């Protein structure tokens, strides 16, 4: 992919691909049509990292229930990583005629991508696929990433615990990182993971966080127009 100005990194939350209850075929059908239209009508290109979501958390919980304290953080991370790779293979299969045949899962080498779509998965223990999305921005000289999740905004605090939590339309990396901390836990459910956030701040990557099911809203974000969500930047 050579046209960085028309190339986008999407971090597709696993909660959208495989929420509790199985694969969301309705969402993936709509997402498939949306991305194909973006490619054909606007000549856009996409790197799409795919998260583990509920599937990763189910595997981690199952392993902990069986083995308990004998499991290490690395063991749990590898379960999550392989969940992202299965989900990524599913998404690559959906786009197989317009996607690079490889699922990116090793980031030491910058690949030459000729197809308009490239699908990426988890890399190694210590962070989520959000980190992989920022790494792709760094490798391919892309300044923005869009995080597709199952919430509309980043909030000032956890709205499930704090009735006074307020949606944030814009926040700096410094303030965001002070809210979520610096520690990664396998299966962690955060709008953007803390290790990825540190890297994004370091390399001046702007991240837009929005509800991935609202594809009209995603189109606005891609077009650089006002959208419903949160922008995090330096």
């Amino acid at each position: 992919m050579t046209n960085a100005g028309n190339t986008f990194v999407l971090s597709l939350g696993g909660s959208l691909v495989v929420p509790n209850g199985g694969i969301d075929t309705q969402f993936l059908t709509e997402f498939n049509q949306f991305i194909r239209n973006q490619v054909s009508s606007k000549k856009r290109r996409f790197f799409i990292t795919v998260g583990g979501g509920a599937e990763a958390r189910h595997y981690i919980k199952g392993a902990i229930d069986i083995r308990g304290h004998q499991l290490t953080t690395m063991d749990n991370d590898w379960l999550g990583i392989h969940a992202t790779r299965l989900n990524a293979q599913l998404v690559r299969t959906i786009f197989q005629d317009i996607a690079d045949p490889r699922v990116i899962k090793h980031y030491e080498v910058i690949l030459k991508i000729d197809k308009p779509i490239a699908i990426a998965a988890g890399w190694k223990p210590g962070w989520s696929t959000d980190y992989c999305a920022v790494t792709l921005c760094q490798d391919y000289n892309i300044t923005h990433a869009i995080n597709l999740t199952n919430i509309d905004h980043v909030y000032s605090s956890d709205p499930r615990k704090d009735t006074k939590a307020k949606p944030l339309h814009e926040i700096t990396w410094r303030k965001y990182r002070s809210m979520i901390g610096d520690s990664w836990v396998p299966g962690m459910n955060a709008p953007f993971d803390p290790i990825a956030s540190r890297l994004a701040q370091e390399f001046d990557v702007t991240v837009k966080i929005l509800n991935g099911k609202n594809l009209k809203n995603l189109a606005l974000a891609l077009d650089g127009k006002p959208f419903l969500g949160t922008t995090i930047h330096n």
Side-chain angles (χ1 to χ4, degrees), residues 37-127:
N37 181 62
Q38 290 285 318
V39 169
S40 61
S41 66
K42 301 201 174 185
K43 309 304 178 186
R44 286 175 169 162
R45 294 170 172 259
F46 295 92
F47 288 94
I48 304 173
T49 67
V50 187
E55 184 179 28
R57 286 184 279 277
H58 287 324
Y59 275 101
I60 292 169
K61 182 180 183 303
I64 292 173
D65 287 346
I66 296 166
R67 297 288 292 179
H69 68 277
Q70 295 174 326
L71 283 179
T72 67
T73 298
M74 184 174 291
D75 290 327
N76 293 332
D77 248 337
W78 275 118
L79 286 170
I81 288 166
H82 285 291
T84 75
R85 293 178 178 181
L86 180 59
N87 290 348
Q89 191 62 49
L90 170 63
V91 175
R92 194 211 65 79
T93 301
I94 292 168
F95 291 111
Q96 61 179 303
D97 56 315
I98 59 172
D100 189 274
R102 301 161 290 187
V103 170
I104 300 171
K105 50 184 182 287
H106 301 290
Y107 294 76
E108 296 93 341
V109 178
I110 299 176
L111 301 176
K112 179 175 170 36
I113 306 294
D114 295 321
K115 296 282 192 175
I117 305 292
I119 306 298
W123 182 10
K124 53 188 178 181
W127 50 71

Side-chain angles (χ1 to χ4, degrees), residues 48-233:
I48 304 173
T49 67
V50 187
E55 184 179 28
R57 286 184 279 277
H58 287 324
Y59 275 101
I60 292 169
K61 182 180 183 303
I64 292 173
D65 287 346
I66 296 166
R67 297 288 292 179
H69 68 277
Q70 295 174 326
L71 283 179
T72 67
T73 298
M74 184 174 291
D75 290 327
N76 293 332
D77 248 337
W78 275 118
L79 286 170
I81 288 166
H82 285 291
T84 75
R85 293 178 178 181
L86 180 59
N87 290 348
Q89 191 62 49
L90 170 63
V91 175
R92 194 211 65 79
T93 301
I94 292 168
F95 291 111
Q96 61 179 303
D97 56 315
I98 59 172
D100 189 274
R102 301 161 290 187
V103 170
I104 300 171
K105 50 184 182 287
H106 301 290
Y107 294 76
E108 296 93 341
V109 178
I110 299 176
L111 301 176
K112 179 175 170 36
I113 306 294
D114 295 321
K115 296 282 192 175
I117 305 292
I119 306 298
W123 182 10
K124 53 188 178 181
W127 50 71
S128 77
T129 47
D130 291 339
Y131 184 94
C132 299
V134 177
T135 300
L136 289 171
C137 287
Q138 179 188 359
D139 288 346
Y140 293 90
N141 195 30
I142 300 168
T143 59
H144 286 65
I146 299 179
N147 188 32
L148 308 178
T149 183
N150 57 0
I151 59 173
D152 291 327
H153 294 92
V154 172
Y155 287 82
S156 57
S157 57
D158 190 341
R160 295 169 297 184
K161 301 176 181 179
D162 183 3
T163 57
K164 296 182 180 180
K166 296 180 180 180
L168 303 173
H169 300 287
E170 191 172 4
I171 188 173
T172 65
W173 282 119
R174 182 180 61 80
K175 290 182 179 179
Y176 176 76
R177 291 183 59 206
S178 71
M179 287 168 46
I180 64 165
D182 292 317
S183 300
W184 162 253
V185 177
M188 184 178 188
N189 192 8
F192 207 73
D193 100 50
I195 311 303
S197 298
R198 183 173 64 201
L199 189 68
Q201 182 180 21
E202 179 182 352
F203 288 103
D204 197 22
V205 174
T206 295
V207 172
K208 297 176 180 179
I209 295 179
L210 52 86
N211 193 320
K213 287 198 170 185
N214 187 343
L215 296 176
K216 290 183 179 179
N217 191 48
L218 173 57
L220 293 174
L222 290 169
D223 289 341
K225 297 178 179 178
F227 70 99
L228 178 67
T230 303
T231 299
I232 314 177
H233 57 84

